[in-house]
Amino acid sequence: MSPILLLTGLLALAYFGTMLVERRSMRGFGLPSGTEFLLVGVLIGPRFMGLISTPALTSFGGLTAVALAWLALIIGAHYGWARGRRVPARRMLLGVGLASVAVVMTGAAAGLVAWLVTDLDWRDLLLLAMGVGAVSAETTRHAVRWVIERYAAEGPLSELIGDATEADDAVPILMLALIATMAPHEGSLALSFPGWAALLSTVGIGAAMGATCAALFDIEPRTTQRWGIVVGTGLLAVGASTRLGLSGIATTFVMGLTAASLSRQRAALEALLTTTERAVMLPALVLAGAHVGFPDRMPFLPIVIVAVAGRVAAKLLAGRLFRRSLKQEGVGSRTLGLGLLPAGVLSVTAGFACALQLQTIVGEIILAVAVTHAIVGEIVGPVFLRRALRSAGEIRSAAADTPHPVPARVIEGARRLVARGPRLRSSERPPKLRASQSSDIGDDPR
Amino acid sequence: MSALEATQSKSASARLVQAAALVVTFGLLLTATRLAPAEAGVVGTVAGLGFLLLAGTLTSELIEALGIPHLTGYLLAGVLAGPDVLALIDRATLAQLGPVNTLALSLIALAGGAELHIELLRSTARSLAWASLLQHSLVMMASVAAFIALAPFTPFADLRPASLWGVALLWGAVAATRSPAALLGIISQLRPKGPLTTFSIAFVMLSDLLCIVIVAFTMALVRPLFDASAIFSFNDIRQLVRELVGSVALGGAVGLALSIYLKLFGKNRLLVLLALGVGLAELLRYIQFDALLAFLVAGFFVRNFSEQGPKLLEAVQRTGVIVFVIFFAVAGAKIELALLAKVGGVVLALCAVRFATTLLAARASSKLAADEPVLRRWGWSALISQAGFTLGITMVVARAFPSIADAFTTLAIAAVAINETIGPVLFKIGLDRAGESGAGDASSERPPSSAL
């Protein structure tokens, strides 16, 4: 498949995928973490159906890196905000702390097993440990929100989980920045920055471009010009930082964070970026899926198993801490911990970024681990999260038992009918909706 | 808020912020290119694209205070960043930006077609007929004569007379081309309305079509002048007819599809335009149809044979800000200053002849068509610019006549550099003096949620 054809196909996919995802709540399908496109990519990739060839994939490496950095920009712009309010500092710390624990536990376990079963040198072992840690850190907020909104959960536990999952995004990004400083670079492009200087440069470029973006965005009232400003600063930030051998993803994350923090028009900036999210994310997920392979040159299976086990252990620990901090007696910490397993776009993005940057078996393993986390989290996470929220009394049991709760539009229609027509008996009335449910549930995971 | 209101209302502090942001933008890429000077592949392209977009926008906003059009700002940013000045963008990066430029040109053509209304063509039919006849014939003849006269100062001094006439005729054909991109770029900035705007849009779009035909005929005509064994062949004409008919047919089909889509769905328009621009341009290149013409026809079809014209125009205009910045900033970066210095004198003279003849032809055609005074006075102002379309035609000529390709391309690029620099300024002055700037519908700014 020619690169141009592939690009056209990806744009078409972005179009149809966006339409599909927008309607998923109405039709009652779609995965909570939104990673079904990842599986599409795996299927059509060179290792399975071969609809996308390896050369075509390779030719898109640069563009894919830009797409991933753009996703990081969006994540950065939203970072620290949940449901229209700032996440409290303590909860930010909790989210970051738990994600860090997950990094250490999974990274150490994967590194140890790799040391035992492979002949990787110390640098590759460290990169592998850091990469596996990066893709194991987050609990995707998409899945958490999917469950919370779909089952109309409300209460301190859902709020805590929502806040903590917003906060943990910074950890994998930081890991990627560290990996970029350690990863070997293409000859003359590389600079021999010491690690701390590379990190400072990453933050510096991101902050400078974020401040520039915010300042220009605030003085520009025209939406079309604002597009130019955001796209221009974003591309320049990722291009310049990558040219210097820094992490484009970390740079744009800092840029998004800075821009959203400094801009007086934060909501407009966030809204503008959000419109691009699906259009960028869906093709990026497909490409990530197409890159996935099962390395056969070394025993990678034990590493994947250990990484998954390590992550499960870390999330169980997180569940215990959540339970303690809220003193929720009715909730089993194991249930809660397993409910924190969903991994989604950020994990896959991090894995994919490692695969693109490292271009070795180490990168392939990290991506394979990320995809495994996404699949395991998809199967286990939402079920246990729902169970935990129900145990905490934050989901009414009638709603929780409904396999596909009635979409809000249908309920709204029924409501109007009730208002117009003969009164229904109380048992036939649809459940009351909260204000947040009056729009399409799942229309926008944020 | 309209573009004009928005820019005019900017305070001194806002200008300072823009100036500071421009310094940061230049500073960042300067640092990156100096610390990592090697050719940077896709990374360099991405950085270059972001830089041109940002620097072009900021430069245009800053120089607008001096009454200079945005396009000149985009060009200026490109020239400064280009390989001959600060070398922030190297030639390899410029080459890699080619597909982006093709996409930009496709969207510009689509916008051009969507601006052409049948009523507009009818209302200006008489003016258009005279202008088309005189502009193309007089400019071509005068350019041929000037080229022959100045030949001793060009790289073609040693050519035998027959071949020299051939080159001169080709030069004349290229000189007759105009720039739809520059025209639409200025219109996108100023949102003008009035007889000058109407005439300019209609003429330049029609001129594109005529120039494609003129160049193809000229190429067929001059071939025997270069190769004594060659005879006048209808093969070129057949090829031209095939290309024209095919492009129009495909453009019509695309227009129909776009109309249906806009009527039934209408969502994610920007994404659809991007997919169309990338995919269709590649398909057209593969089957050797004219992309510019096909997109022009598609836009024309949607505007005139469906009720979806306003939707398409709005969608294309929303892409305009980014598309025009990239197109002209890249054009600016491509200007080879060393080359311009080398052949600048003779090219300047050739451009002066083209300018004078355009002015003369505009006055004569306006008189014959009994145009309104404003058109008589300023009708020429939109016809000086040359840009991507001219370069595209030049490449076609260069491919057909490899023996003169390098020297011919050199002269043409230098001429485009001059005309694309002064042309937009002149058109803006024309629109300002004619009182048409800002008289059009200020494109309402919709919330960003509808952008993609």
Side-chain angles (χ1 to χ4, degrees):
Chain A
M1 187 186 279
S2 87
I4 293 290
L5 201 58
L6 176 57
L7 181 59
T8 311
L10 289 172
L11 284 168
L13 171 84
Y15 174 74
F16 290 112
T18 304
M19 282 175 60
L20 189 72
V21 173
E22 274 175 357
R23 292 179 183 187
R24 82 160 78 169
S25 64
M26 289 170 61
R27 297 181 188 172
F29 65 85
L31 300 176
S33 59
T35 48
E36 55 266 44
F37 289 91
L38 187 70
L39 300 176
V40 172
V42 174
L43 275 179
I44 64 174
R47 288 171 180 90
F48 289 89
M49 290 169 70
L51 289 179
I52 302 179
S53 63
T54 306
L57 265 185
T58 310
S59 69
F60 268 77
L63 270 184
T64 312
V66 176
L68 299 181
W70 190 262
L71 288 177
L73 174 67
I74 298 168
I75 292 170
H78 289 92
Y79 187 67
W81 288 79
R83 282 163 287 183
R85 60 168 177 77
R86 268 194 191 283
V87 176
R90 278 187 62 185
R91 292 192 172 177
M92 291 287 288
L93 276 176
L94 181 70
V96 170
L98 290 174
S100 306
V101 169
V103 169
V104 174
M105 286 175 74
T106 51
L112 189 66
V113 171
W115 179 64
L116 290 172
V117 301
T118 70
D119 54 357
L120 292 174
D121 62 22
W122 70 269
R123 178 193 275 264
D124 280 342
L125 282 175
L126 194 56
L127 284 171
L128 178 74
M130 290 167 72
V132 169
V135 301
S136 307
E138 71 139 2
T139 295
T140 180
R141 57 173 178 268
H142 292 112
V144 170
R145 281 189 182 172
W146 190 90
V147 172
I148 288 175
E149 291 182 2
R150 203 167 181 92
Y151 295 101
E154 203 170 20
L157 181 61
S158 34
E159 207 169 276
L160 174 65
I161 295 174
D163 288 351
T165 53
E166 291 287 342
D168 64 11
D169 293 350
V171 178
I173 303 279
L174 176 67
M175 295 305 295
L176 288 179
L178 286 171
I179 289 169
T181 64
M182 288 184 58
H185 299 290
E186 289 168 29
S188 53
L189 277 184
L191 283 171
S192 52
F193 277 128
W196 62 267
L199 270 184
L200 272 183
S201 304
T202 305
V203 173
I205 292 174
M209 292 319 290
T212 304
C213 178
L216 294 175
F217 197 88
D218 285 353
I219 59 170
E220 181 54 70
R222 292 163 292 174
T223 308
T224 44
Q225 300 280 0
R226 285 179 164 180
W227 272 101
I229 290 163
V230 174
V231 173
T233 46
L235 291 183
L236 180 56
V238 65
S241 59
T242 314
R243 185 166 189 160
L244 290 170
L246 308 172
S247 164
I249 289 183
T251 306
T252 47
F253 176 81
V254 176
M255 181 191 150
L257 185 63
T258 311
S261 306
L262 297 181
S263 175
R264 292 189 302 271
Q265 313 273 337
R266 196 193 69 82
L269 176 65
E270 206 178 314
L272 187 144
L273 284 170
T274 303
T275 57
T276 64
E277 187 179 22
R278 286 191 190 119
V280 178
M281 185 172 78
L282 302 183
L285 281 173
V286 170
L287 285 175
H291 265 87
V292 172
F294 298 105
D296 50 6
R297 279 175 281 158
M298 59 183 293
F300 89 107
L301 202 59
I303 301 172
V304 173
I305 292 170
V306 164
V308 171
R311 187 164 184 268
V312 170
K315 296 300 173 187
L316 288 176
L317 184 68
R320 188 176 284 258
L321 280 174
F322 277 12
R323 185 173 167 238
R324 273 199 191 164
S325 68
L326 282 178
K327 299 185 176 63
Q328 292 269 15
E329 290 304 321
V331 187
S333 60
R334 203 174 299 165
T335 308
L336 191 50
L338 292 173
L340 296 174
L341 272 181
V345 177
L346 184 56
S347 291
V348 175
T349 298
F352 196 15
C354 288
L356 289 174
Q357 181 147 37
L358 301 176
Q359 304 272 336
T360 58
I361 190 81
V362 174
E364 282 185 44
I365 294 176
I366 294 170
L367 180 57
V369 170
V371 172
T372 311
H373 283 331
I375 293 168
V376 171
E378 194 70 68
I379 295 166
V380 179
V383 177
F384 280 92
L385 184 59
R386 193 184 64 180
R387 198 177 288 174
L389 291 173
R390 190 169 51 182
S391 308
E394 296 186 8
I395 297 179
R396 281 164 302 160
S397 47
D401 291 337
T402 311
H404 294 295
V406 185
R409 281 185 195 182
V410 178
I411 296 175
E412 191 57 39
R415 222 187 217 176
R416 279 197 221 110
L417 201 69
V418 171
R420 281 208 308 266
R423 291 181 68 82
L424 298 172
R425 284 193 306 244
S426 60
S427 59
E428 294 169 341
R429 275 181 209 155
K432 279 187 181 173
L433 283 173
R434 291 186 297 125
S436 63
Q437 258 189 296
S438 58
S439 63
D440 278 356
I441 299 170
D443 179 47
D444 184 348
R446 294 186 184 284
Chain B
M1 187 181 284
S2 74
L4 273 185
E5 285 166 355
T7 43
Q8 281 165 0
S9 66
K10 285 212 170 90
S11 61
S13 60
R15 298 291 182 201
L16 270 178
V17 168
Q18 287 174 332
L22 189 61
V23 171
V24 170
T25 305
F26 268 94
L28 178 59
L29 197 58
L30 197 65
T31 310
T33 48
R34 294 305 177 263
L35 290 179
E39 201 178 286
V42 178
V43 168
T45 308
V46 170
L49 198 60
F51 171 83
L52 289 176
L53 188 51
L54 201 54
T57 305
L58 291 171
T59 310
S60 69
E61 292 270 328
L62 287 169
I63 65 165
E64 194 189 35
L66 306 171
I68 298 172
H70 282 179
L71 295 194
T72 309
Y74 308 153
L75 283 168
L76 184 62
V79 170
L80 284 176
D84 288 344
V85 185
L86 291 174
L88 301 180
I89 297 175
D90 53 34
R91 301 228 178 269
T93 301
L94 287 174
Q96 285 186 337
L97 283 169
V100 181
N101 236 18
T102 306
L103 173 68
L105 206 55
S106 303
L107 293 178
I108 289 168
L110 195 66
E115 294 275 4
L116 268 183
H117 199 272
I118 287 178
E119 280 306 310
L120 184 149
L121 289 173
R122 269 195 205 128
S123 68
T124 54
R126 191 178 158 83
S127 306
L128 279 179
W130 279 113
S132 296
L133 179 69
L134 294 185
Q135 284 293 349
H136 292 100
S137 56
L138 290 184
V139 168
M140 209 175 148
M141 283 192 286
S143 297
V144 169
F147 195 90
I148 294 288
L150 292 167
F153 307 101
T154 67
F156 302 105
D158 298 333
L159 276 185
R160 59 191 182 87
S163 299
L164 184 61
W165 273 99
V167 181
L169 281 167
L170 290 170
W171 180 262
V174 169
T177 58
R178 269 83 190 186
S179 171
L183 175 93
L184 294 174
I186 292 290
I187 286 174
S188 163
Q189 178 198 345
L190 300 176
R191 304 309 308 158
K193 190 177 181 183
L196 177 59
T197 310
T198 306
F199 168 80
S200 301
I201 292 173
F203 177 81
V204 172
M205 296 305 157
L206 193 64
S207 170
D208 278 357
L209 196 62
L210 288 174
C211 282
I212 291 170
V213 179
I214 289 171
V215 169
F217 269 109
T218 310
M219 278 165 44
L221 196 70
V222 304
R223 201 177 291 281
L225 299 177
F226 287 95
D227 180 2
S229 62
I231 52 162
F232 180 81
S233 163
F234 280 99
N235 201 31
D236 285 341
I237 309 297
R238 202 178 306 131
Q239 177 68 19
L240 170 72
V241 171
R242 176 189 164 273
E243 188 179 320
L244 287 180
V245 172
S247 305
V248 169
L250 198 61
V254 172
L256 179 65
L258 258 178
S259 306
I260 293 170
Y261 157 75
L262 287 169
K263 180 164 183 152
L264 295 182
F265 306 105
K267 293 179 80 177
N268 300 339
R269 284 175 225 163
L270 184 54
L271 219 50
V272 170
L273 288 181
L274 284 178
L276 202 64
V278 172
L280 191 63
E282 180 66 11
L283 173 72
L284 288 163
R285 193 187 63 80
Y286 182 72
I287 56 178
Q288 295 183 331
F289 282 176
D290 189 85
L292 200 74
L293 183 58
F295 279 102
L296 201 72
V297 170
F300 183 78
F301 186 97
V302 176
R303 175 67 188 263
N304 293 287
F305 302 111
S306 79
E307 292 172 352
Q308 311 305 320
K311 279 189 198 171
L312 178 70
L313 257 183
E314 192 224 341
V316 178
Q317 277 168 7
R318 291 176 73 85
T319 66
V321 175
I322 291 177
V323 164
F324 289 121
V325 180
I326 291 173
F327 184 82
F328 282 97
V330 169
K334 279 182 175 169
I335 293 177
E336 295 184 31
L337 296 178
L339 176 76
L340 204 56
K342 203 171 153 191
V343 293
V346 68
V347 173
L348 205 59
L350 288 169
C351 288
V353 170
R354 179 178 177 270
F355 178 88
T357 320
T358 301
L359 192 66
L360 192 72
R363 290 278 158 86
S365 63
S366 281
K367 197 163 188 179
L368 288 168
D371 286 337
E372 294 177 49
V374 69
L375 209 54
R376 242 183 250 190
R377 194 153 184 205
W378 295 106
W380 56 273
S381 61
L383 313 183
I384 306 301
S385 296
Q386 286 187 306
F389 178 63
T390 309
L391 290 177
I393 293 282
T394 304
M395 293 307 142
V396 172
V397 172
R399 272 198 298 273
F401 301 96
S403 61
I404 59 156
D406 289 345
F408 191 84
T409 309
T410 302
L411 288 184
I413 290 173
V416 167
I418 292 169
N419 289 325
E420 77 182 346
T421 307
I422 60 166
V425 179
L426 293 172
F427 186 38
K428 183 177 182 293
I429 291 173
L431 288 172
D432 287 346
R433 297 284 167 84
E436 295 187 10
S437 296
D441 290 339
S443 58
S444 58
E445 296 290 336
R446 289 176 42 182
S449 57
S450 61
L452 267 175

